[in-house]
């Protein structure tokens, strides 16, 4: 939904308020009885431990904060869950009116298109701020703590970047117009976007060349190497360095990507220094990585 947002008027509430102090007390009682939309602690401030919706993109406008799952945010006043913080959207229903979110809880939270935790969804990792995606942006019906259905996975495309916002542009073995077999997953957000390590490990190789920049990180306990191509690796990175999961390692670029900024993420078995050849090579050297990424807590999307 876009454009000017207006708050529905409620003649009955205005009449009760005009009746005086007794009327005001009655209005308060009615609103409290309307349901958990008036639950204690929801003050329009995004505090630690809360999941928060923002009326506008960029984490702006009025805030609506929650400490638990809500199956149906409600679509009409006065019983809907409303925005309570100062700014644009204050008093509006949250349902189908959220543009961005901040998950300040210690676990994942999933936002759903349909009530009852159904339909299209977007999982927001603990501590993550995110712009809601198309299909969820201003089309949100509820949210579930714990990632939805008990899962704790976050989308791989979002996990690669602080604040999320990535999209898969080419999947494993997903070439359409390029000759060969694609050995990894291409993910894009935008040139200059910060890129994070998806798995911890030790750097085996860093190549900053414009022809094909490479960061290879080997995890000995998993016996897997994760290779990142086309980025601008941080100057501080060097072979032998230990890297933590979620650590910033580069910025998105197009080094060796033919002018299309993105990050090629490739899972390889064993300790590796290079990515497998893809272009003009029709043999898949790497196995399908979906089960591996899921084992590491990621949805491949």
């Amino acid at each position: 939904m876009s454009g000017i947002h207006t708050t529905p008027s409620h003649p009955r509430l205005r009449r009760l308020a005009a009746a005086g102090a007794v009327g005001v007390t009655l209005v308060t009682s009615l609103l409290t009885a309307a349901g958990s939309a008036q639950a204690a602690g929801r003050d329009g401030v995004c505090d630690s431990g809360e999941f928060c919706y923002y009326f506008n993109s960029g984490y702006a406008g009025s805030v609506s904060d929650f400490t638990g799952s809500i199956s149906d945010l409600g679509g009409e006043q006065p019983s809907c869950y409303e925005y309570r913080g100062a700014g644009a959207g204050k008093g509006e229903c949250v349902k189908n009116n959220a543009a961005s979110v901040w998950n300040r809880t210690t676990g994942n939270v999933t936002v759903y298109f349909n009530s009852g935790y159904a339909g299209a969804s977007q999982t927001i990792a603990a501590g993550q701020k995110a712009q809601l995606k198309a299909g969820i942006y201003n089309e949100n019906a509820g949210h579930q703590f714990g990632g939805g259905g008990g899962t704790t996975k976050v989308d791989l495309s979002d996990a690669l970047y602080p604040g999320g916002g990535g999209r898969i542009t080419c999947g494993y073995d997903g070439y359409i117009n390029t000759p060969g077999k694609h050995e990894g997953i291409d993910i894009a957000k935008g040139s200059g976007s910060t890129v994070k390590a998806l798995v911890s490990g030790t750097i085996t190789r860093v190549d900053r060349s414009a022809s094909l920049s490479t960061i290879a990180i080997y995890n000995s306990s998993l016996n897997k190497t994760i290779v990142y191509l086309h980025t601008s690796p941080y100057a501080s990175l060097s072979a032998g360095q230990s890297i933590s999961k979620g650590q910033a390692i580069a910025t998105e670029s197009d080094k060796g990507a033919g002018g299309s900024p993105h990050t090629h993420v490739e899972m390889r078995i064993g300790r590796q220094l290079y990515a497998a050849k893809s272009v003009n090579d029709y043999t898949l050297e790497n196995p399908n990585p979906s089960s591996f990424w899921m084992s590491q807590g990621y949805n491949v999307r």
Side-chain angles (χ1 to χ4, degrees):
M1 299 174 67
S2 59
I4 299 174
H5 296 265
T6 58
T7 303
S9 61
H10 304 289
R12 183 186 178 202
L13 297 186
R14 290 202 301 271
R15 288 198 300 272
L16 289 170
V22 174
V24 170
T25 301
L26 179 56
V27 170
T28 302
S29 299
L30 287 171
L31 291 176
T32 300
S36 55
Q38 307 295 330
R42 294 191 59 244
D43 57 2
V45 177
C46 196
D47 297 316
S48 178
E50 295 183 331
F51 180 73
C52 306
Y53 291 94
Y54 290 82
F55 186 74
N56 290 335
S57 300
Y59 326 112
S62 188
V63 174
S64 191
D65 49 319
F66 298 87
T67 57
S69 301
I70 304 295
S71 174
D72 186 353
L73 291 163
E76 295 182 358
Q77 296 281 16
S79 60
C80 69
Y81 287 83
E82 78 280 44
Y83 284 99
R84 293 188 168 186
K90 183 176 182 179
E92 290 281 356
C93 295
V94 177
K95 188 172 184 177
N96 296 330
N97 262 332
S100 53
V101 295
W102 187 6
N103 181 8
R104 299 200 67 191
T105 75
T106 58
N108 292 352
V109 178
T110 297
V111 180
Y112 289 89
F113 175 78
N114 290 332
S115 301
Y117 312 130
S121 66
Q122 180 176 348
T123 299
I124 316 301
Q128 184 182 50
K129 285 184 173 181
Q131 181 81 7
L132 291 179
K133 295 181 176 182
I136 305 295
Y137 179 91
N138 283 342
E139 298 287 348
N140 55 296
H143 63 268
Q144 188 173 34
F145 280 45
T151 181
T152 57
K153 293 180 175 61
V154 64
D155 290 355
L156 187 71
S157 55
D158 281 336
L160 189 63
Y161 309 99
R167 66 191 187 283
I168 291 178
T169 57
C170 184
Y172 172 79
D173 193 19
Y175 281 156
I176 297 176
N177 299 316
T178 302
K181 294 286 189 177
H182 194 229
E183 295 276 5
I185 297 172
D186 289 349
I187 306 174
K189 181 176 181 179
S191 182
S193 299
T194 298
V195 173
K196 301 189 298 181
L198 295 167
V199 178
S200 63
T202 301
I203 295 177
T204 59
R205 178 171 175 264
V206 179
D207 184 343
R208 297 178 173 84
S209 65
S211 59
L212 186 62
S213 67
T214 304
I215 305 171
I217 301 175
Y218 174 62
N219 184 296
S220 59
S221 63
L222 299 170
N223 193 32
K224 300 289 192 301
T225 299
I226 308 303
V227 183
Y228 306 83
L229 303 180
H230 312 310
T231 68
S232 292
Y234 284 173
S236 58
L237 298 189
S238 60
Q241 180 180 351
S242 294
I243 298 295
S244 301
K245 180 178 180 178
Q247 181 176 338
I249 57 175
T251 56
E252 192 155 281
S253 186
D254 63 350
K255 294 184 176 183
S260 177
H262 68 271
T263 303
H264 172 101
V265 179
E266 184 174 325
M267 184 277 292
R268 305 206 66 190
I269 296 174
R271 187 182 187 278
Q272 305 286 346
L273 300 175
Y274 301 89
K277 186 178 179 181
S278 291
V279 178
N280 294 318
D281 187 328
Y282 290 88
T283 301
L284 284 170
E285 198 172 318
N286 298 323
N288 189 314
S290 294
S291 60
F292 169 78
W293 289 122
M294 291 181 69
S295 74
Q296 299 306 300
Y298 303 114
N299 291 310
V300 184
R301 60 188 183 191

